[in-house]
PDB file of all heavy atoms in Angstrom:
ATOM      1  N   TRP A 532      45.337 -46.148 117.797  1.00  0.00           N
ATOM      2  CA  TRP A 532      46.573 -46.947 117.984  1.00  0.00           C
ATOM      3  C   TRP A 532      47.276 -46.567 119.245  1.00  0.00           C
ATOM      4  O   TRP A 532      48.291 -47.225 119.602  1.00  0.00           O
ATOM      5  CB  TRP A 532      47.489 -46.741 116.703  1.00  0.00           C
ATOM      6  CG  TRP A 532      47.058 -47.477 115.540  1.00  0.00           C
ATOM      7  CD1 TRP A 532      46.495 -48.707 115.447  1.00  0.00           C
ATOM      8  CD2 TRP A 532      47.225 -47.008 114.168  1.00  0.00           C
ATOM      9  NE1 TRP A 532      46.271 -49.034 114.138  1.00  0.00           N
ATOM     10  CE2 TRP A 532      46.734 -48.014 113.306  1.00  0.00           C
ATOM     11  CE3 TRP A 532      47.757 -45.871 113.569  1.00  0.00           C
ATOM     12  CZ2 TRP A 532      46.715 -47.896 111.893  1.00  0.00           C
ATOM     13  CZ3 TRP A 532      47.767 -45.736 112.174  1.00  0.00           C
ATOM     14  CH2 TRP A 532      47.253 -46.762 111.347  1.00  0.00           C
ATOM     15  N   ASN A 533      46.872 -45.480 119.908  1.00  0.00           N
ATOM     16  CA  ASN A 533      47.619 -45.044 121.160  1.00  0.00           C
ATOM     17  C   ASN A 533      49.014 -44.715 120.864  1.00  0.00           C
ATOM     18  O   ASN A 533      49.955 -45.077 121.590  1.00  0.00           O
ATOM     19  CB  ASN A 533      47.476 -46.067 122.268  1.00  0.00           C
ATOM     20  CG  ASN A 533      48.129 -45.583 123.561  1.00  0.00           C
ATOM     21  OD1 ASN A 533      48.134 -44.348 123.793  1.00  0.00           O
ATOM     22  ND2 ASN A 533      48.778 -46.469 124.302  1.00  0.00           N
ATOM     23  N   ILE A 534      49.292 -44.088 119.721  1.00  0.00           N
ATOM     24  CA  ILE A 534      50.681 -43.602 119.366  1.00  0.00           C
ATOM     25  C   ILE A 534      50.630 -42.078 119.356  1.00  0.00           C
ATOM     26  O   ILE A 534      49.595 -41.484 119.240  1.00  0.00           O
ATOM     27  CB  ILE A 534      51.197 -44.186 118.027  1.00  0.00           C
ATOM     28  CG1 ILE A 534      50.248 -43.811 116.878  1.00  0.00           C
ATOM     29  CG2 ILE A 534      51.372 -45.681 118.116  1.00  0.00           C
ATOM     30  CD1 ILE A 534      50.763 -44.248 115.482  1.00  0.00           C
ATOM     31  N   ASN A 535      51.830 -41.513 119.404  1.00  0.00           N
ATOM     32  CA  ASN A 535      51.898 -40.025 119.299  1.00  0.00           C
ATOM     33  C   ASN A 535      52.056 -39.622 117.870  1.00  0.00           C
ATOM     34  O   ASN A 535      53.119 -39.830 117.244  1.00  0.00           O
ATOM     35  CB  ASN A 535      53.096 -39.473 120.148  1.00  0.00           C
ATOM     36  CG  ASN A 535      53.218 -37.967 120.039  1.00  0.00           C
ATOM     37  OD1 ASN A 535      52.377 -37.287 119.396  1.00  0.00           O
ATOM     38  ND2 ASN A 535      54.306 -37.451 120.551  1.00  0.00           N
ATOM     39  N   SER A 536      51.042 -39.098 117.254  1.00  0.00           N
ATOM     40  CA  SER A 536      51.011 -38.746 115.826  1.00  0.00           C
ATOM     41  C   SER A 536      51.610 -37.335 115.583  1.00  0.00           C
ATOM     42  O   SER A 536      51.630 -36.888 114.454  1.00  0.00           O
ATOM     43  CB  SER A 536      49.548 -38.703 115.325  1.00  0.00           C
ATOM     44  OG  SER A 536      48.934 -39.948 115.502  1.00  0.00           O
ATOM     45  N   PHE A 537      52.175 -36.712 116.621  1.00  0.00           N
ATOM     46  CA  PHE A 537      52.455 -35.298 116.449  1.00  0.00           C
ATOM     47  C   PHE A 537      53.946 -34.966 116.669  1.00  0.00           C
ATOM     48  O   PHE A 537      54.263 -33.739 116.594  1.00  0.00           O
ATOM     49  CB  PHE A 537      51.578 -34.485 117.381  1.00  0.00           C
ATOM     50  CG  PHE A 537      50.150 -34.823 117.264  1.00  0.00           C
ATOM     51  CD1 PHE A 537      49.432 -35.567 118.196  1.00  0.00           C
ATOM     52  CD2 PHE A 537      49.463 -34.494 116.074  1.00  0.00           C
ATOM     53  CE1 PHE A 537      48.065 -35.926 118.056  1.00  0.00           C
ATOM     54  CE2 PHE A 537      48.141 -34.868 115.899  1.00  0.00           C
ATOM     55  CZ  PHE A 537      47.405 -35.536 116.867  1.00  0.00           C
ATOM     56  N   ASP A 538      54.816 -35.969 116.888  1.00  0.00           N
ATOM     57  CA  ASP A 538      56.255 -35.626 116.861  1.00  0.00           C
ATOM     58  C   ASP A 538      56.888 -36.344 115.691  1.00  0.00           C
ATOM     59  O   ASP A 538      56.211 -37.059 114.915  1.00  0.00           O
ATOM     60  CB  ASP A 538      56.890 -36.038 118.210  1.00  0.00           C
ATOM     61  CG  ASP A 538      56.920 -37.566 118.340  1.00  0.00           C
ATOM     62  OD1 ASP A 538      56.382 -38.286 117.466  1.00  0.00           O
ATOM     63  OD2 ASP A 538      57.443 -38.054 119.397  1.00  0.00           O
ATOM     64  N   GLN A 539      58.250 -36.173 115.504  1.00  0.00           N
ATOM     65  CA  GLN A 539      58.908 -36.800 114.396  1.00  0.00           C
ATOM     66  C   GLN A 539      60.368 -37.033 114.630  1.00  0.00           C
ATOM     67  O   GLN A 539      61.212 -36.537 114.011  1.00  0.00           O
ATOM     68  CB  GLN A 539      58.724 -35.977 113.049  1.00  0.00           C
ATOM     69  CG  GLN A 539      59.149 -34.507 113.167  1.00  0.00           C
ATOM     70  CD  GLN A 539      58.127 -33.624 113.914  1.00  0.00           C
ATOM     71  OE1 GLN A 539      56.933 -33.825 113.879  1.00  0.00           O
ATOM     72  NE2 GLN A 539      58.695 -32.729 114.693  1.00  0.00           N
ATOM     73  N   GLU A 540      60.562 -37.889 115.700  1.00  0.00           N
ATOM     74  CA  GLU A 540      61.987 -38.213 116.080  1.00  0.00           C
ATOM     75  C   GLU A 540      62.741 -38.848 114.904  1.00  0.00           C
ATOM     76  O   GLU A 540      63.907 -38.750 114.794  1.00  0.00           O
ATOM     77  CB  GLU A 540      61.959 -39.110 117.284  1.00  0.00           C
ATOM     78  CG  GLU A 540      61.607 -38.417 118.644  1.00  0.00           C
ATOM     79  CD  GLU A 540      62.617 -37.317 118.983  1.00  0.00           C
ATOM     80  OE1 GLU A 540      63.780 -37.331 118.495  1.00  0.00           O
ATOM     81  OE2 GLU A 540      62.190 -36.408 119.686  1.00  0.00           O
ATOM     82  N   GLY A 541      61.956 -39.512 113.981  1.00  0.00           N
ATOM     83  CA  GLY A 541      62.590 -40.305 112.962  1.00  0.00           C
ATOM     84  C   GLY A 541      63.315 -39.496 111.918  1.00  0.00           C
ATOM     85  O   GLY A 541      64.056 -40.032 111.097  1.00  0.00           O
ATOM     86  N   VAL A 542      63.124 -38.183 111.926  1.00  0.00           N
ATOM     87  CA  VAL A 542      63.890 -37.395 110.952  1.00  0.00           C
ATOM     88  C   VAL A 542      65.184 -36.825 111.498  1.00  0.00           C
ATOM     89  O   VAL A 542      65.974 -36.214 110.763  1.00  0.00           O
ATOM     90  CB  VAL A 542      63.007 -36.192 110.366  1.00  0.00           C
ATOM     91  CG1 VAL A 542      61.684 -36.691 109.889  1.00  0.00           C
ATOM     92  CG2 VAL A 542      62.780 -35.111 111.542  1.00  0.00           C
TER      93      VAL A 542
END
Side-chain angles (χ1 to χ4, degrees):
W532 282 325
N533 182 34
I534 58 177
N535 178 6
S536 303
F537 307 108
D538 67 357
Q539 53 286 322
E540 286 299 337
V542 306

